[in-house]
Amino acid sequence: DQQVKQNSPSLSVQEGRISILNCDYTNSMFDYFLWYKKYPAEGPTFLISISSIKDKNEDGRFTVFLNKSAKHLSLHIVPSQPGDSAVYFCAASANQGGKLIFGQGTELSVKP
Amino acid sequence: NAGVTQTPKFRILKIGQSMTLQCAQDMNHNYMYWYRQDPGMGLKLIYYSVGAGITDKGEVPNGYNVSRSTTEDFPLRLELAAPSQTSVYFCASSTALGYEQYFGPGTRLTVT
């Protein structure tokens, strides 16, 4: 039972354009969502998060949008840069104290 | 401040052998975690700890054991290694459950 799903295994974007990574979840108890970025041969690093009381959180070039009714969140990267090429994982937790549940990841490739 | 460190980086085991994956953090985090990542999959929680002396099972604990005698260290023990345990193992720590976690660089384990 995959509670957090990233249905696109890969995404290719031109440098300077917008990258949109999507994530769907099934558990309505999830109330905190995070995005992690992972380079090859490294551990994931925290990127941005959002609480369920918000529908948007922005940090520089990165914005996360949360649509609770659709149980969907997305990460927007504007403008995309070649250094953004990595695997992006979304994760969710319930009751702001539950364990993190990770999606399968989306590999983003930003081409110069 | 080294963050989360893991040793070894790579290891090849024969079926039936045992080994301990080491994890240490210097951020004084109470919460520590072990995950495994299989190709094309997200991170699956193996075990976690909420403090020294307290551990609990995650999603995929079978074939593993952990201990937490100090705040800093959280070793993962594999007994009777099996090919199904071939994976990349990540250790992580956090200040609270369900929030931002800091990951180590990973240990790539192959069981043949």
Side-chain angles (χ1 to χ4, degrees), chain B residues 55-76:
Chain B
T55 62
D56 204 352
K57 295 178 182 178
E59 194 179 352
V60 289
N62 292 344
Y64 307 94
N65 272 302
V66 293
S67 59
R68 183 99 181 269
S69 56
T70 66
T71 300
E72 294 77 21
D73 300 298
F74 190 38
L76 177 72

Side-chain angles (χ1 to χ4, degrees), chain A residues 33-110:
Chain A
F33 304 88
L34 307 89
W35 284 94
Y36 281 84
K37 176 179 179 177
K38 184 184 178 305
Y39 292 119
E42 294 184 11
T45 54
F46 169 73
L47 194 56
I48 192 169
S49 63
I50 187 167
S51 165
S52 60
I53 63 173
K54 295 185 174 183
D55 54 18
K56 176 183 174 181
N57 188 26
E58 195 170 348
D59 183 1
R61 296 186 297 114
F62 302 92
T63 304
V64 56
F65 295 92
L66 176 62
N67 183 333
K68 289 185 290 292
S69 61
K71 294 191 177 68
H72 177 85
L73 65 155
S74 60
L75 174 68
H76 293 210
I77 306 174
V78 183
S80 301
Q81 300 173 352
D84 296 329
S85 297
V87 177
Y88 290 78
F89 292 98
C90 67
S93 70
N95 302 320
Q96 295 194 2
K99 299 180 285 293
L100 288 184
I101 307 296
F102 285 83
Q104 309 97 305
T106 296
E107 183 170 11
L108 173 66
S109 176
V110 180

Side-chain angles (χ1 to χ4, degrees), chain B residues 33-83:
Chain B
Y33 315 82
W34 274 105
Y35 293 90
R36 59 177 287 173
Q37 186 194 6
D38 299 323
M41 304 293 286
L43 286 80
K44 302 285 187 186
L45 183 64
I46 305 171
Y47 270 96
Y48 69 102
S49 169
V50 302
I54 307 170
T55 62
D56 204 352
K57 295 178 182 178
E59 194 179 352
V60 289
N62 292 344
Y64 307 94
N65 272 302
V66 293
S67 59
R68 183 99 181 269
S69 56
T70 66
T71 300
E72 294 77 21
D73 300 298
F74 190 38
L76 177 72
R77 178 82 178 160
L78 279 73
E79 304 282 2
L80 299 174

Side-chain angles (χ1 to χ4, degrees), chain B:
Chain B
N1 195 341
V4 180
T5 57
Q6 292 183 238
T7 55
K9 288 193 188 320
F10 305 94
R11 183 72 186 267
I12 299 174
L13 280 183
K14 293 190 185 306
I15 295 172
Q17 287 185 321
S18 301
M19 77 164 294
T20 299
L21 281 67
Q22 301 292 344
C23 174
Q25 54 94 7
D26 61 0
M27 296 175 283
N28 203 32
H29 288 168
N30 283 326
Y31 297 84
M32 295 188 74
Y33 315 82
W34 274 105
Y35 293 90
R36 59 177 287 173
Q37 186 194 6
D38 299 323
M41 304 293 286
L43 286 80
K44 302 285 187 186
L45 183 64
I46 305 171
Y47 270 96
Y48 69 102
S49 169
V50 302
I54 307 170
T55 62
D56 204 352
K57 295 178 182 178
E59 194 179 352
V60 289
N62 292 344
Y64 307 94
N65 272 302
V66 293
S67 59
R68 183 99 181 269
S69 56
T70 66
T71 300
E72 294 77 21
D73 300 298
F74 190 38
L76 177 72
R77 178 82 178 160
L78 279 73
E79 304 282 2
L80 299 174
S84 60
Q85 292 178 305
T86 294
S87 189
V88 181
Y89 291 84
F90 292 102
C91 178
S93 70
S94 69
T95 56
L97 200 60
Y99 291 94
E100 292 83 354
Q101 296 178 10
Y102 298 83
F103 284 81
T107 294
R108 183 174 293 276
L109 175 68
T110 302
V111 182
T112 62

